[in-house]
Amino acid sequence: MNVFKFRSGSSAASTKSSAPSINYGPITNEPILVAPKDYEPAMNPPLTVEQTQKVKDLLDYMDTLILSKEDAYYPNERGFLSPATAHRYMRARKWDFEAAKTMLEKTVKWRREFKPEQLSPDATSKEAETGKMYFNGYDKMGRPLWIMKPRFENSKDSDGQVNFIVFCLERGIRLMPEHVEKISIVVDFKDSSMSNNPTVATCRRFLDILSNHYPERLGVAYLINSPWFFNATYKVIAPFVDPVTKEKIKFLSTDTNNNDDDLAKSEGPISLDQLEVSLGGRYNFEFDMPTYWNRLLEITGNPYKVIEYK
């Protein structure tokens, strides 16, 4: 069984559906929130002497702006301003020191105001109740799978939606295993309707936050069977999407007639044991809010966990 197949020269791709006669075992409500032992992370190339110095210089500069140790938010900011963070911001700005410095300064200011890692689970839990967005499984590179199912949208509150997205980004970072710094997104548009479609403004806010405050955190985004109304929205926001981010967005289709090229050989980019049956995998998962929420907070912190960003 192959998952996520592309057609040559097209932005569309195809997915083979699971055979209905296969026995996947009993349904489980337990999400996969720990990476398998056999993941193979995509390692960044070694830094040159010049690049190493730029990372050091960026951290030295940020040390002149960091909060005082007496500030309650200091441990959070200290953990965020890590060598790995500086490396990501330098890569995002193609090693242009001044551009990376400006970008990171803006993020630090945003984090002081927004405090994204401190978003309350209690305040965001309502957005999570229907299973419209959750983590479950890992791809072969060890990147957490961020599953999105727009048909289960339960809110019209744009601020609440954006807060929940940021909450998920921070939790996803805390689900990353060693040597992994990105997530993979899988959007399943099955049974979605115009009433479920996010507004252009919400989409732009999401992409702005992802591109400007979480650079180099997206591995790939698979959009499965995107409907015409979403495609129309995407055409409006596409000019504002960072080109690097745009390259990571893959439009897929379950049209099994388009089997010219595989996205990857041997089960595709995600092991079928890590992928839900509803998405063509073998993991017979059904979302249950209390089970998922308790497990997520157990691993990522309740109410939150201060970490060094790697």
Side-chain angles (χ1 to χ4, degrees):
M1 181 180 354
N2 292 320
V3 179
F4 302 155
K5 287 175 168 289
F6 274 85
R7 176 172 53 189
S8 297
S10 171
S11 62
S14 64
T15 309
K16 283 190 177 181
S17 300
S18 304
S21 60
I22 297 176
N23 181 6
Y24 296 105
I27 293 174
T28 180
N29 300 130
E30 289 292 334
I32 301 174
L33 299 180
V34 176
K37 295 180 179 179
D38 61 348
Y39 73 93
E40 298 180 0
M43 306 297 289
N44 294 310
L47 299 184
T48 65
V49 173
E50 181 183 6
Q51 290 171 339
T52 300
Q53 186 61 48
K54 285 186 175 182
V55 169
K56 180 181 183 302
D57 290 345
L58 182 56
L59 288 173
D60 288 346
Y61 173 74
M62 296 309 299
D63 276 347
T64 67
L65 305 177
I66 197 168
L67 294 168
S68 70
K69 293 183 179 180
E70 288 71 35
D71 194 292
Y73 195 63
Y74 171 81
N76 306 65
E77 188 161 291
R78 178 75 279 167
F80 174 70
L81 291 174
S82 66
T85 293
H87 189 186
R88 279 188 291 274
Y89 278 74
M90 289 301 307
R91 293 202 316 269
R93 288 298 176 259
K94 297 179 172 56
W95 296 95
D96 182 323
F97 180 81
E98 291 301 322
K101 184 176 75 171
T102 299
M103 185 186 194
L104 185 51
E105 277 190 83
K106 289 180 178 179
T107 292
V108 167
K109 180 180 179 181
W110 174 79
R111 293 184 71 89
R112 288 176 182 175
E113 296 173 354
F114 202 89
K115 295 182 172 55
E117 75 280 32
Q118 292 185 5
L119 286 170
S120 167
D122 290 340
T124 56
S125 63
K126 181 174 178 56
E127 293 281 341
E129 286 178 348
T130 58
K132 66 181 179 183
M133 193 180 298
Y134 57 90
F135 288 96
N136 187 26
Y138 291 76
D139 68 14
K140 290 181 177 179
M141 296 182 183
R143 301 179 298 200
L145 298 181
W146 191 5
I147 311 297
M148 301 182 184
K149 298 181 177 180
R151 64 185 179 274
F152 295 131
E153 179 58 68
N154 62 336
S155 171
K156 295 295 184 182
D157 177 6
S158 179
D159 289 339
Q161 291 172 342
V162 170
N163 285 350
F164 184 50
I165 287 169
V166 174
F167 174 88
C168 289
L169 280 167
E170 287 290 332
R171 300 291 162 154
I173 290 169
R174 286 155 178 77
L175 293 174
M176 294 173 184
E178 192 73 16
H179 303 303
V180 174
E181 61 177 0
K182 301 178 187 292
I183 58 172
S184 289
I185 296 175
V186 180
V187 185
D188 177 15
F189 283 99
K190 178 183 177 182
D191 296 334
S192 63
S193 65
M194 289 185 67
S195 64
N196 307 133
N197 199 46
T199 65
V200 171
T202 299
C203 288
R204 286 193 62 179
R205 286 180 67 188
F206 168 50
L207 290 170
D208 175 72
I209 290 171
L210 184 64
S211 298
N212 294 320
H213 301 311
Y214 293 89
E216 297 293 309
R217 285 300 196 182
L218 175 63
V220 64
Y222 300 112
L223 277 57
I224 306 174
N225 293 333
S226 59
W228 68 267
F229 45 84
F230 175 83
N231 295 339
T233 299
Y234 183 76
K235 286 181 180 179
V236 173
I237 65 174
F240 305 99
V241 180
D242 178 78
V244 175
T245 300
K246 192 181 296 185
E247 283 295 314
K248 298 176 181 179
I249 299 174
K250 310 296 182 183
F251 287 84
L252 313 178
S253 169
T254 53
D255 181 355
T256 56
N257 294 320
N258 301 325
N259 295 330
D260 296 338
D261 293 309
D262 284 337
L263 175 60
K265 303 292 184 181
S266 182
E267 296 187 334
I270 306 168
S271 171
L272 298 185
D273 293 333
Q274 293 285 318
L275 191 64
E276 298 175 18
V277 169
S278 65
L279 298 172
R282 297 184 186 133
Y283 193 63
N284 203 2
F285 176 79
E286 186 174 278
F287 181 84
D288 174 73
M289 173 61 177
T291 304
Y292 171 75
W293 205 243
N294 290 337
R295 182 64 174 142
L296 179 71
L297 299 185
E298 177 186 343
I299 295 174
T300 64
N302 187 10
Y304 65 92
K305 181 189 295 185
V306 177
I307 63 169
E308 177 182 341
Y309 286 66
K310 299 180 178 180

